[in-house]
Amino acid sequence: MIYAVSDIHGCYDKYAAMLDKIGISDGDTLYVLGDAADRGRDGIKVLLDMMERRNVVPVAGNHESMAADVLGPIVSNPGGDMDGEAYLLWMYNGGGPTLSAFFDLDEVQRRRVVSYLGSFILRTTVSAGGRKFHLSHTLPPYVPGRKIEDAPHRNFLWGKADYGKVYADGTLFVTGHTPTVAIDPAYKGKIYSKNGHICIDCGAVFGGRLGCVCLDTLEEFYI
Ligand SMILES: [Mn+2]
């Protein structure tokens, strides 16, 4: 089976409980659609677990991008000056717990985390259960006639997806980034599934739930 989860935001306990709930096995694939760390306490713990699992495919979110901009230079140029702007942006967006847990790691682990962050993909497509899916952290604003692959890369990390628009017939666009309650209050704590979109950020770190969808069956799971 193929599963997707997103915006774990350092909620290691919910993440671990979700793996248990879906009964993930070596034959399954789990796509993590970005923002694995930050805001919550245990982002580094989540990343360390993800990197040990060969069947986890990490897709980048804006938080991985911010983390890499700060942590990359720390390992490549220890003792060097920090990029003040990158640091402030990350801290403003809840990077503090991730940064302090990173400093608790030894040199080898730090390098492994930074190299792992560099391996996150921007977006991908998969087929499952007779359907076609596009997986990314978020989507560029909808532009009529524009192919999704022609949008700027940054839009897949920071973009404001138009959940009221059908981006492409015959493809389901699976995203996180925007807690579903902010798309439509009727979907508070639930996966938003409408207009060719499946938004799975159910606000785990904001007192909501961690959502997960099975792409083969469209079954929804919650912690
Ligand atoms: Mn995000």
Side-chain angles (χ1 to χ4, degrees):
M1 295 287 187
I2 302 175
Y3 299 92
V5 68
S6 186
D7 295 80
I8 299 163
H9 274 308
C11 298
Y12 177 83
D13 292 347
K14 289 182 178 174
Y15 161 75
M18 183 61 81
L19 295 178
D20 248 22
K21 184 162 201 167
I22 62 178
I24 193 157
S25 70
D26 291 346
D28 298 324
T29 302
L30 176 67
Y31 287 88
V32 177
L33 303 187
D35 292 4
D38 298 351
R39 305 200 193 282
R41 206 180 42 176
D42 295 322
I44 290 292
K45 200 171 169 187
V46 171
L47 290 170
L48 292 174
D49 183 277
M50 285 168 59
M51 71 172 75
E52 293 306 324
R53 295 176 186 273
R54 300 178 63 93
N55 55 345
V56 165
V57 182
V59 179
N62 51 314
H63 283 266
E64 280 78 22
S65 168
M66 288 186 282
D69 286 347
V70 173
L71 301 181
I74 291 175
V75 301
S76 60
N77 182 22
D81 284 341
M82 228 181 224
D83 176 340
E85 220 168 291
Y87 171 79
L88 286 176
L89 177 68
W90 193 31
M91 290 306 107
Y92 179 74
N93 282 285
T98 313
L99 181 61
S100 72
F102 181 83
F103 280 128
D104 289 338
L105 299 175
D106 64 32
E107 196 65 30
V108 174
Q109 292 282 68
R110 288 183 189 184
R111 284 182 183 281
R112 288 186 68 222
V113 167
V114 167
S115 136
Y116 187 58
L117 287 172
S119 76
F120 279 49
I121 60 173
L122 189 65
R123 60 186 193 88
T124 190
T125 55
V126 298
S127 294
R131 299 178 188 89
K132 198 181 152 201
F133 298 88
H134 179 281
L135 308 179
S136 57
H137 182 57
T138 182
L139 288 169
Y142 177 75
V143 176
R146 182 174 68 178
K147 286 188 183 150
I148 195 81
E149 55 267 34
D150 294 334
H153 284 190
R154 190 183 154 78
N155 281 186
F156 293 95
L157 303 171
W158 291 93
K160 191 167 170 12
D162 286 319
Y163 287 104
K165 298 280 187 197
V166 176
Y167 277 60
D169 287 327
T171 299
L172 289 168
F173 289 80
V174 187
T175 50
H177 186 60
T178 304
T180 54
V181 65
I183 302 172
D184 181 341
Y187 287 88
K188 184 181 180 188
K190 287 193 297 194
I191 289 171
Y192 175 91
S193 187
K194 210 175 167 181
N195 304 325
H197 291 279
I198 301 177
C199 181
I200 58 177
D201 177 3
C202 301
V205 80
F206 300 114
R209 297 194 287 178
L210 185 65
C212 175
V213 63
C214 174
L215 301 186
D216 300 83
T217 62
L218 299 184
E219 188 181 353
E220 300 173 2
F221 302 87
Y222 297 98
I223 299 293

